[in-house]
Structures are given as C-alpha cells and as structure tokens.
Amino acid sequence: KYSYYTVGGDSAEDIYNAMLRKGPKVNGAKAYAATSATTTQDGKLLQSKSCRVDDYRLKIDFVIKLPRIKNETVLPAADRGRWKQFSAFLKAHEETHRSIWLGCAADLERQVKAIKASTCSQADGKAAKLWDKMRAACSRKHNAFDAAEQKKLVEDLIPSVVSAGTDVPLWILGSSTYGAQLAAALGLPYAFASHFAPDQLIPALQIYRDRFK
C-alpha cells in the first residue's frame, strides 16, 4: 500500500526543505521516499527418510511512503512540471525496491523448498542460513540500485546549466546525511555545512567514508 506525507510551500526550495524536515528515514538517514517491508514465513517440517520443508511461503507486506504537495497550484508552471517528473521518479524508484524484494523472496522460496536433510533440526538450520544469505544479498541489490538511481537523478533530473562545457570541479555541499549518500554514490568530493547541523557531522562523514565508490 501507499502512504503519503504532506509538504507545502510557494517555491521548489520550500518543497525541498519540507521534504528534508518531514520525509522518512532509511537506515537512519534522511530520504524523500521509502519502502518498508514486513515479512512472515509459513511452512512445516516433514520427516520421513529425510526431512524437508513443506509448503514454504515468504509473505511480504509493503508500505511505500511518498511526498505529496498540499497545494500544487501555487507553484510556477515550470516547477509544477519538475515536481511531476520528480514524484514519478520517486514512485518508480520505490516500486523497483518492492520488485527487488519480491525477486529475493521468490529465490528464497525455491531454495528452501529444495532443502533435504537427515533431521528436521538440520533442515531448520539450513533454512535459517538461507534466510540470512538472502537478506544480505538483497541488501546489496538495493544498495546497488540506489547508487545507480542517485547518479541518474543528478544527470537526468538536475542538469547543470552554469557549468556546462567547463572543467570546474564539482563538489557536493550538504547539511544532512542525504548529501553524504549522494556524494559517496557518485564518487564526488563532499563538504558538510556543520554550522547548520553540527549533530549530523559525524554520521554524515561516516556514511561518506563507508559508501564512497
């Protein structure tokens, strides 16, 4: 299902600042949108000559949280067009995260159903290891997708007009952890405005160092 948080303002800058204030957090970092997944597992262990997991299913309930403008008509026409493009990008982005999760779940179901072990305790242990392996692999897929999308967002939705055709070095200046994520994903130099958000300085630098590509 979809959930929305309301943002308002008379300009693109107002909308941006409202999203930073009211948007969700992903892994402790500010985000414009987010997809949460609640998982439940179902199945039973059957022992005969060997033990297997019967009728295993992994169910995932999703909540996709997106921004919605309180009064879109107050924005200039050009900003309304950019907002529609940006909000469509966010929705498609989060729906892809959902698809990644569903693909991971399908892989796990197939592998668990193929388990055969001498005892049901061994079968249960194998299933638990496959679960942990799936979560780690799925997390890597999500992170790789986010990195590619952040680069696309900068290149396609935020074109640089002033610096076009020049060799001016590009830096990311941020006052939140999102700027650190973006700079790390793009492999760009990063500066943090600690006078605006001193409590975010250390988390932002840690994210930048850990995720730099």
Side-chain angles (χ1 to χ4, degrees), residues 135-157:
R135 286 181 62 86
C138 207
S139 180
R140 289 192 294 271
K141 290 180 181 179
H142 286 298
N143 290 339
F145 171 67
D146 278 335
E149 289 287 279
Q150 285 175 339
K151 186 174 183 180
K152 183 192 300 183
L153 180 64
V154 171
E155 292 177 348
D156 296 346
L157 296 185

Side-chain angles (χ1 to χ4, degrees), residues 15 32 44 56 59 66 77 83 154 173 186 190 197 200-201 203 213:
I15 299 299
Y32 303 131
K44 54 187 176 181
Y56 176 80
K59 181 183 177 183
L66 299 166
W83 170 257
V154 171
L173 171 63
L186 297 176
Y190 176 61
Q200 292 287 299
L201 173 61
K213 296 184 180 298

Side-chain angles (χ1 to χ4, degrees), residues 29-46:
K30 281 282 189 179
Y32 303 131
T35 298
S36 60
T38 304
T39 60
T40 54
Q41 301 181 74
D42 190 24
K44 54 187 176 181
L45 296 166
L46 294 181

Side-chain angles (χ1 to χ4, degrees), residues 30-208:
K30 281 282 189 179
Y32 303 131
T35 298
S36 60
T38 304
T39 60
T40 54
Q41 301 181 74
D42 190 24
K44 54 187 176 181
L45 296 166
L46 294 181
Q47 178 77 60
S48 55
K49 291 182 179 180
S50 62
C51 185
R52 61 185 177 84
V53 184
D54 186 56
D55 198 27
Y56 176 80
R57 288 196 321 118
L58 175 61
K59 181 183 177 183
I60 308 179
D61 293 318
F62 296 97
V63 177
I64 296 177
K65 190 167 188 177
L66 299 166
R68 180 157 48 191
I69 294 182
K70 184 177 181 179
N71 185 3
E72 195 174 315
T73 60
V74 302
L75 293 174
D79 287 344
R80 287 200 303 272
R82 282 192 289 269
W83 170 257
K84 290 182 184 298
Q85 185 183 12
F86 179 66
S87 58
F89 174 89
L90 288 180
K91 185 176 182 182
H93 178 94
E94 297 305 323
E95 288 175 344
T96 301
H97 276 301
R98 179 176 60 189
S99 297
I100 291 172
W101 267 115
L102 291 173
C104 293
D107 288 342
L108 179 65
E109 287 182 347
R110 185 176 63 254
Q111 293 176 55
V112 170
K113 289 176 181 178
I115 289 176
K116 288 184 180 180
S118 299
T119 67
C120 286
S121 177
Q122 291 175 345
D124 189 46
K126 287 184 177 182
K129 288 181 179 178
L130 286 173
W131 167 257
D132 291 339
K133 184 179 178 181
M134 180 278 288
R135 286 181 62 86
C138 207
S139 180
R140 289 192 294 271
K141 290 180 181 179
H142 286 298
N143 290 339
F145 171 67
D146 278 335
E149 289 287 279
Q150 285 175 339
K151 186 174 183 180
K152 183 192 300 183
L153 180 64
V154 171
E155 292 177 348
D156 296 346
L157 296 185
I158 314 175
S160 174
V161 177
V162 176
S163 63
T166 71
D167 293 321
V168 176
L170 179 62
W171 284 64
I172 298 290
L173 171 63
S175 58
S176 72
T177 53
Y178 178 75
Q181 295 177 63
L182 182 61
L186 297 176
L188 291 173
Y190 176 61
F192 189 82
S194 59
H195 53 296
F196 286 129
D199 58 323
Q200 292 287 299
L201 173 61
I202 300 304
L205 293 180
Q206 189 65 52
I207 288 171
Y208 180 66

